[in-house]
Amino acid sequence: MMTNIKRVGQIGVPIKDIDRAVEFYKNLLGLPLLFNTDTMAFFECNGLRLLLSLPEKDQFAHSSSVVYFQVEDIKETYHGLVEKGVIFVDEPHLVAKMGQTETWMTFFKDTEDNTHALMSEVHS
């Protein structure tokens, strides 16, 4: 079976408070805000749109999938975000080594109680 899917274009993250969430993603994570309304906000993340939205119905009010934000230097980014008050669940740690490439991750909470991660691929 052939698929026409080329890439993920947008990821939706459920939120509870639009102003608080926009503040977190814009000012703490530093993502460029494309535009927002009273119920949703769109951010640019290097060709991928991140949509924060209030749930349309209670049945959609659950936490999101984990968004893995790729960074160049995970330890530097981790320390910078900790200084800004971002709450991390753990510290940067090695999760996989494939050949000469190590994959490092660390997980954090946003203001809406979603868990996301920073990831970095280190070539040795």
Side-chain angles (χ1 to χ4, degrees), residues 39-55:
T39 60
M40 64 182 86
F42 292 86
F43 289 87
E44 169 64 26
C45 190
N46 197 25
L48 178 76
R49 268 195 322 261
L50 190 64
L51 162 63
L52 308 181
S53 63
L54 295 169

Side-chain angles (χ1 to χ4, degrees), residues 26-84:
K26 181 180 175 188
N27 296 331
L28 294 185
L29 295 188
L31 294 176
L33 176 65
L34 296 172
F35 69 94
N36 65 293
T37 68
D38 292 343
T39 60
M40 64 182 86
F42 292 86
F43 289 87
E44 169 64 26
C45 190
N46 197 25
L48 178 76
R49 268 195 322 261
L50 190 64
L51 162 63
L52 308 181
S53 63
L54 295 169
E56 290 182 37
K57 298 179 180 166
D58 286 345
Q59 71 214 49
F60 300 123
H62 52 76
S63 51
S64 72
S65 299
V66 177
V67 178
Y68 292 82
F69 294 98
Q70 188 146 12
V71 297
E72 198 65 35
D73 186 326
I74 195 166
K75 291 177 183 176
E76 180 182 312
T77 304
Y78 166 82
H79 289 297
L81 290 175
V82 166
E83 286 177 11
K84 289 181 173 182

Side-chain angles (χ1 to χ4, degrees), residues 77-115:
T77 304
Y78 166 82
H79 289 297
L81 290 175
V82 166
E83 286 177 11
K84 289 181 173 182
V86 175
I87 306 298
F88 280 83
V89 183
D90 57 14
E91 293 186 358
H93 58 281
L94 178 66
V95 294
K97 184 172 172 113
M98 294 170 275
Q100 301 299 330
T101 304
E102 294 180 350
T103 301
W104 285 71
M105 287 185 193
T106 182
F107 293 84
F108 64 92
K109 292 281 194 177
D110 71 4
T111 54
E112 311 308 295
D113 205 33
N114 295 302
T115 301

